[in-house]
Amino acid sequence: MNLSNLKFDALHLAIFFLLTTLSLSSQNKNEIGCATETSQKTLEFYNSIRSELKISEKNFMSKSASSKEAHDIQFEEIPIKAHIIRNSNGNSGLSTEELHQSINNLNETFKEAFIQFKVNDDINYIDDDGFCHFNKSNEKELTAYNYAKGYLNIYFVENLENQAENSICGYANISESANLIFVKNSCVTNGSTLPHEIGHLLSLIHTHGPNDNQTTELVDGSNCDTDGDGICDTPADPKLSSENLDNFCNYVGTETDANGDKYQPDTRNIMSYAYKGCRTQFTSEQSARMYAFYQYIKNSFINPNEEDVSEETFASLKLYPNPVTGGLLSVYIPTAGTSVHYKISNLYGQLFSEGVLDNTKQIDVNNLSSGAYMLTLSNEKTKVVKKFIK
Ligand SMILES: [Zn+2]
């Protein structure tokens, strides 16, 4: 390389750093982090299923760490319904290129969680000036007529603000298991707002703990299971902001925990409040938690057309005895009609047995060890997932 090339490269490098610095520091200045609220009720629910999730998470982690055993984990696909809000004359709004770019990014980001996303081709365009500048308090007004059951509903708006009228990048409504996410258009392709909000939907909490409170998680990890985000491979986080981050995503704060230990937070974590451009990854335990939790809410992602049929055919479907005693699980289906296929998997998707229900409508579960399982029953048109305990 001659000297003039070297100078040219040095100039490029300088420009690159300058642009990176500018783009990082311009983020978050006018926006508060995220407006998802994790209520006390939601936290209590997470606690009530924690021990069961832990078993699934452990299995997921050991399998996903082994390239051979990772094949046993089934990829989950979450269907997305995109609602694009435009002004009343149909101009503006998120472009389909930006939409697909963001979905590709999601699929890349959630690969290690074995979760993928597929956007429905039929995009719902809402041409209404009234919703272009969208306040969180207008949520019910918008979703009442614009909601697709069985999907993760994502609403893309030009401007988004919380009730206090602060501009926000996004939020997930996790209070009613309605699967709703709202994102401001300019944040859609930043690579981390959508993954962050979907992380909330899949039960993840900010790495600094629920909502905006100061964390009680200790740096030494001794209460990592219960405090902060309740996940142990994310270090205690004093809440990241422009006050304690430099423009290269380094933590430069001096905060200490109750023991006087200095924090060493993960500034790359998607569930943190680091600059949006810094946030690139979930940890293994976060991935395992999301996958395990998805098994709990999977039923709400069954295609509504399938569900309509299920109301007829599988309407009064019952599993008994549940918990299973004696090694046989009986399925009560009044009008089975065509043959019904069954699959038994655990909460992290590992398949144990499958077959076709015979006339006895009993499934031999002698070979299953104690634990929680999912039974998927399907015929050509219908699919129902039920949980049982052995
Ligand atoms: Zn958040």
Side-chain angles (χ1 to χ4, degrees):
M1 185 184 284
N2 65 33
L3 193 61
S4 65
N5 273 346
L6 197 65
K7 269 185 192 158
F8 186 70
D9 276 12
L11 180 68
H12 263 97
L13 204 63
I15 291 173
F16 170 77
F17 276 120
L18 182 68
L19 288 177
T20 311
T21 304
L22 282 175
S23 104
L24 287 177
S25 60
S26 66
Q27 291 178 43
N28 284 23
K29 282 281 154 69
N30 306 312
E31 278 153 10
I32 62 160
C34 137
T36 298
E37 288 160 40
T38 310
S39 69
Q40 198 51 40
K41 210 173 138 198
T42 302
L43 289 173
E44 279 163 19
F45 170 62
Y46 292 164
N47 282 333
S48 74
I49 59 171
R50 181 181 289 264
S51 56
E52 216 172 296
L53 289 180
K54 287 260 167 193
I55 300 170
S56 310
E57 286 166 24
K58 226 174 137 189
N59 284 323
F60 178 96
M61 301 252 297
S62 74
K63 286 203 177 294
S64 61
S66 141
S67 56
K68 208 172 148 204
E69 288 186 59
H71 292 294
D72 288 348
I73 307 176
Q74 289 179 21
F75 267 92
E76 296 290 357
E77 189 177 82
I78 300 183
I80 289 177
K81 180 73 176 181
H83 304 267
I84 294 181
I85 289 113
R86 306 186 294 195
N87 57 24
S88 296
N89 60 20
N91 292 330
S92 74
L94 190 78
S95 72
T96 47
E97 288 75 26
E98 288 169 313
L99 174 66
H100 288 116
Q101 190 189 329
S102 71
I103 304 297
N104 290 344
N105 177 258
L106 280 181
N107 287 336
E108 195 51 46
T109 313
F110 281 80
K111 210 160 58 183
E112 281 167 25
F114 287 79
I115 294 172
Q116 295 288 278
F117 301 86
K118 189 169 190 289
V119 68
N120 186 283
D121 292 335
D122 186 16
I123 296 168
N124 179 31
Y125 289 100
I126 304 163
D127 296 340
D128 188 336
D129 285 342
F131 288 129
C132 282
H133 194 105
F134 187 78
N135 186 288
K136 204 177 171 187
S137 58
N138 300 130
E139 185 187 301
K140 285 226 154 40
E141 212 182 314
L142 176 67
T143 57
Y145 300 102
N146 297 285
Y147 178 74
K149 205 177 164 195
Y151 290 90
L152 165 55
N153 286 262
I154 308 184
Y155 301 83
F156 300 95
V157 298
E158 198 60 40
N159 288 295
L160 183 63
E161 60 184 32
N162 62 9
Q163 286 100 332
E165 300 188 354
N166 295 311
S167 177
I168 51 174
C169 251
Y171 76 92
N173 181 342
I174 53 173
S175 64
E176 297 166 40
S177 17
N179 306 322
L180 305 172
I181 285 177
F182 298 80
V183 200
K184 183 162 82 170
N185 289 344
S186 61
C187 301
V188 171
T189 53
N190 67 17
S192 76
T193 292
L194 258 181
H196 178 104
E197 297 309 333
I198 292 174
H200 280 311
L201 200 90
L202 297 173
S203 85
L204 295 189
I205 291 169
H206 292 144
T207 47
H208 55 260
N211 308 315
D212 285 345
N213 307 332
Q214 179 61 41
T215 192
T216 50
E217 184 176 353
L218 296 166
V219 172
D220 65 14
S222 54
N223 62 357
C224 63
D225 207 27
T226 51
D227 291 41
D229 59 357
I231 285 184
C232 284
D233 66 354
T234 56
D237 171 355
K239 190 156 78 187
L240 302 172
S241 71
S242 54
E243 302 294 309
N244 55 21
L245 282 170
D246 71 12
N247 287 329
F248 299 94
C249 306
N250 297 309
Y251 173 70
V252 291
T254 52
E255 294 105 319
T256 52
D257 71 2
N259 291 337
D261 292 331
K262 200 170 170 289
Y263 289 105
Q264 293 175 298
D266 174 7
T267 61
R268 310 274 165 183
N269 199 287
I270 286 172
M271 298 313 291
S272 75
Y273 267 11
Y275 297 130
K276 294 177 180 71
C278 301
R279 306 184 303 184
T280 52
Q281 63 201 28
F282 289 116
T283 62
S284 312
E285 282 185 40
Q286 284 176 320
S287 293
R289 175 75 48 95
M290 290 191 284
Y291 191 87
F293 185 78
Y294 181 68
Q295 310 306 320
Y296 263 87
I297 59 165
K298 204 169 168 175
N299 266 341
S300 62
F301 289 103
I302 289 177
N303 187 293
N305 297 327
E306 290 173 356
E307 204 175 45
D308 286 346
V309 184
S310 86
E311 274 164 22
E312 280 171 36
T313 326
F314 289 164
S316 38
L317 185 145
K318 279 191 186 68
L319 303 182
Y320 64 95
N322 189 7
V324 180
T325 49
L328 283 179
L329 175 67
S330 296
V331 184
Y332 171 76
I333 310 176
T335 53
T338 53
S339 63
V340 176
H341 184 258
Y342 72 86
K343 266 204 282 198
I344 295 176
S345 54
N346 59 13
L347 296 181
Y348 63 98
Q350 187 186 2
L351 185 66
F352 286 98
S353 68
E354 61 181 322
V356 175
L357 269 190
D358 64 17
N359 289 336
T360 66
K361 306 224 179 89
Q362 287 185 321
I363 303 170
D364 186 344
V365 290
N366 272 303
N367 60 335
L368 299 180
S369 47
S370 307
Y373 296 89
M374 308 303 289
L375 174 71
T376 307
L377 293 160
S378 57
N379 59 19
E380 320 86 83
K381 289 178 177 169
T382 312
K383 188 165 98 178
V384 175
V385 185
K386 291 266 180 189
K387 197 174 124 188
F388 72 92
I389 310 278
K390 192 198 166 189

